[in-house]
Amino acid sequence: MTTPSRSVALVVAAALLAGSPLSAGRDDRPGRPALDYKGRRAKNVIFFVGDGMGVSTITATRVYSVGVAGNLVVDQFPHTALSRTYGADAITPDSAPTMTAMMSGVNTNAGVLGLDETTEPLDFNHDGDGRAPWTLLEEAKASGMKVGVISTARITHATPAATYAHINNRDNENAIALQALPGDPTFNDRLGDGIDLLIGGGRQFFVPSTVTDEEGGTGSRSDGRDLRREFQSAGYSYVWNTAGFNALNRASLPVLGLFERGHMEYEYDRPTDSGSEPSLTDMTVKAIELLDGASRKSRKSGGYFLMVESGRIDHAHHEGNAFRALTDTEELDEAIGAAAHMVDLRDTLIIVSADHSHVFNIAGYPLRPKSELPYQVTSNDPGFEAPAGNGILDVVYDLTSGGAVAAAGDRNGVPYTVLGYLNGPGYRGGPRTDPRTDAFPGRGGVVPNGPSHPAYFQESAVPMGSETHAGEEVAIYAVGPGAALVHGTVKNTHIYQVMKAALGLGE
Ligand SMILES: [Zn+2]
């Protein structure tokens, strides 16, 4: 069976123009040949993943952070593409098959990590698991490179786990932690002497359920094992707070950092954390210092591969709280900028993408702030002088026929917010009220005084406890050697091929 394509002639012509090998029909087949790559090789690759960072999230963050005409760091990357995120069994995927696709070049099923599409979640039909493709991290390690994994989510969560684990159930995080532990019978021996740097949240899967951890949280391991100790016995430096993190140096490698029982704090909430924890930018900078230093010192001098996940953009969206999604995306962009300044872009490929999108929208016809308008307006709405978040965290202000500015209304004349969700916890029910005086409780049960409040839940059309992912394409941004391979509309497996080709692995 061939997969239908509109205007085959156009597809063929474009592929020839772009100089890439033509792959007819399905684009998610395992074993798709590597790209024909003739440019300068990358010594290092840094792969940033914004979990759930759809295009609307990037646009909204841009407006919030630097204004609608401003540029984020990723906006300044010279190479972009659209990445199709569908899974082997789903139109709209979760993070397990998408990160497997991006890390291994193999598209798989919902909930499955690092195993091919013949693997069912939890092997429900008992026919055994499929093939375990090599991940780029494993291939990098096997070729003598240093490898690191960073996430603001639990380090055993689907996205980071897809770099180093192979399992048919993403939720078995106790087992996933063991696959990273050198010496354990289930250790993933493709990791050689182990992942050089593994930092993020998720301490609970390293601590017995009978033990209280450094910040007063309980462990989740029913096998009684304390992996904090076992990793140290295997040669790892273990840190759990900012003080320990700050003291890390090249001699500390390999490093295990677990800064929170569960996921790390949102960037906005980080200052209030009991044990204190580094920011995503702090972790990225430190990781590059350590891995680059160690790879230069190594006799093999093979460079490094680093995966950095901003894991909680996704969680804020699931909560229906756009504020934290935007502030975590802003922090990710900051981390990307820090990395771009630190490395030599002649020998380091930086590639940025997302695993999937969310049902998150920028609605109405909101005017830009008054100071940015190219014409005079007569405004009697004081909110319009400085609409919250450069106009993105506010209600929609629109122009009347008389040249005045007023809050735009729904069909009953009631104002509505620029940002909203198709579904999720922000469903109000009953007649709509003005968002600026809406008493609907937001995050933590707090009743926000308007849509710019950090606790605000944007309205949703469908009542759901957790807002959902969305199925449209996400963006890829790239700079450095191999970045020119990032163009066109591609399957997310292409990201693996680009990184592999840029490093010259498997040749
Ligand atoms: Zn999600």
Side-chain angles (χ1 to χ4, degrees):
M1 192 195 101
T2 57
T3 302
S5 289
R6 276 188 194 279
S7 179
V8 171
L10 180 65
V11 171
V12 171
L16 293 175
L17 264 178
S20 58
L22 181 66
S23 76
R26 294 179 65 92
D27 54 6
D28 59 354
R29 292 170 306 180
R32 187 180 178 210
L35 298 169
D36 177 23
Y37 179 60
K38 298 191 178 71
R40 181 196 276 268
R41 293 282 180 219
K43 181 176 173 225
N44 314 303
V45 170
I46 307 175
F47 179 27
F48 287 94
V49 179
D51 199 306
M53 186 176 68
V55 171
S56 58
T57 300
I58 292 169
T59 306
T61 301
R62 181 186 307 122
V63 177
Y64 168 76
S65 185
V66 293
V68 67
N71 289 304
L72 296 171
V73 171
V74 291
D75 294 326
Q76 299 165 58
F77 279 22
H79 298 281
T80 55
L82 288 174
S83 176
R84 297 163 63 180
T85 64
Y86 64 91
D89 63 349
I91 293 170
T92 299
D94 71 288
S95 299
T98 54
M99 192 59 172
T100 299
M102 294 191 285
M103 282 305 300
S104 304
V106 169
N107 199 23
T108 191
N109 298 314
V112 173
L113 282 176
L115 296 166
D116 75 12
E117 76 285 356
T118 64
T119 310
E120 301 80 24
L122 280 165
D123 189 26
F124 57 69
N125 65 357
H126 306 291
D127 68 346
D129 291 340
R131 187 175 67 94
W134 282 66
T135 74
L136 191 89
L137 182 140
E138 293 164 351
E139 292 173 305
K141 183 75 188 186
S143 79
M145 297 172 71
K146 297 289 179 188
V147 297
V149 179
I150 296 174
S151 179
T152 52
R154 300 189 298 259
I155 205 66
T156 48
H157 206 235
T159 303
T163 66
Y164 64 84
H166 303 269
I167 193 163
N168 64 24
N169 172 22
R170 58 174 281 177
D171 295 328
N172 194 349
E173 296 183 58
N174 279 326
I176 289 169
L178 291 176
Q179 292 194 18
L181 173 62
D184 187 84
T186 62
F187 174 62
N188 174 10
D189 56 18
R190 292 178 187 171
L191 299 172
D193 59 1
I195 301 167
D196 298 287
L197 178 134
L198 189 62
I199 56 177
R203 194 188 296 128
Q204 69 193 91
F205 301 111
F206 296 73
V207 174
S209 53
T210 52
V211 170
T212 301
D213 74 11
E214 296 89 338
E215 290 181 280
T218 52
S220 296
R221 296 202 68 86
S222 51
D223 59 9
R225 291 171 65 176
D226 190 334
L227 303 195
R228 295 170 302 180
R229 298 231 177 80
E230 293 193 41
F231 268 88
Q232 288 178 82
S233 300
Y236 279 75
S237 307
Y238 169 68
V239 295
W240 66 274
N241 62 5
T242 304
F245 171 83
N246 289 340
L248 292 173
N249 58 47
R250 195 199 307 161
S252 312
L253 291 176
V255 168
L256 174 68
L258 300 170
F259 301 110
E260 194 66 34
R261 175 185 183 271
H263 302 303
M264 290 177 69
E265 303 283 2
Y266 290 110
E267 176 59 20
Y268 177 75
D269 302 312
R270 200 167 54 80
T272 66
D273 182 59
S274 61
S276 82
E277 55 186 54
S279 69
L280 188 67
T281 303
D282 296 337
M283 292 193 287
T284 302
V285 167
K286 176 74 84 176
I288 294 170
E289 282 172 6
L290 266 53
L291 296 174
D292 187 50
S295 77
R296 284 176 197 282
K297 199 184 159 211
S298 150
R299 265 183 301 123
K300 290 179 178 169
S301 187
Y304 60 88
F305 170 74
L306 174 64
M307 194 290 293
V308 180
E309 187 205 20
S310 175
R312 307 213 64 200
I313 299 166
D314 177 69
H315 301 158
H317 280 322
H318 282 305
E319 288 191 56
N321 178 231
F323 180 83
R324 281 172 178 73
L326 303 196
T327 45
D328 264 34
T329 304
E330 186 181 41
E331 173 62 18
L332 171 60
D333 194 61
E334 177 88 19
I336 295 165
H341 277 108
M342 279 180 82
V343 304
D344 184 343
L345 290 172
R346 291 170 302 182
D347 70 13
T348 303
L349 169 66
I350 299 180
I351 188 162
V352 181
S353 194
D355 45 1
H356 53 75
S357 186
H358 274 267
V359 290
F360 174 64
N361 282 109
I362 302 169
Y365 306 92
L367 288 170
R368 294 170 68 172
K370 197 170 176 179
S371 58
E372 292 183 13
L373 288 182
Y375 49 80
Q376 292 283 319
V377 291
T378 57
S379 176
N380 52 9
D381 196 324
F384 184 62
E385 289 290 349
N390 294 320
I392 203 79
L393 286 173
D394 218 323
V395 296
V396 172
Y397 293 109
D398 208 343
L399 204 57
T400 67
S401 56
V405 173
D410 64 15
R411 72 179 178 196
N412 299 315
V414 182
Y416 61 96
T417 54
V418 178
L419 300 179
Y421 294 95
L422 178 73
N423 59 40
Y427 177 77
R428 265 57 169 180
R432 294 192 61 255
T433 55
D434 188 331
R436 295 170 294 187
T437 55
D438 182 4
F440 187 78
R443 197 169 185 274
V446 173
V447 177
N449 54 348
S452 69
H453 192 284
Y456 190 78
F457 285 159
Q458 274 69 22
E459 281 178 80
S460 78
V462 179
M464 287 181 76
S466 178
E467 176 265 11
T468 71
H469 299 176
E472 79 275 11
E473 283 74 62
V474 297
I476 310 172
Y477 306 88
V479 65
L485 296 168
V486 172
H487 58 83
T489 300
V490 298
K491 180 70 183 110
N492 52 6
T493 49
H494 184 75
I495 293 170
Y496 166 80
Q497 301 293 354
V498 169
M499 296 191 292
K500 186 167 177 165
L503 288 168
L505 291 174
E507 289 177 5

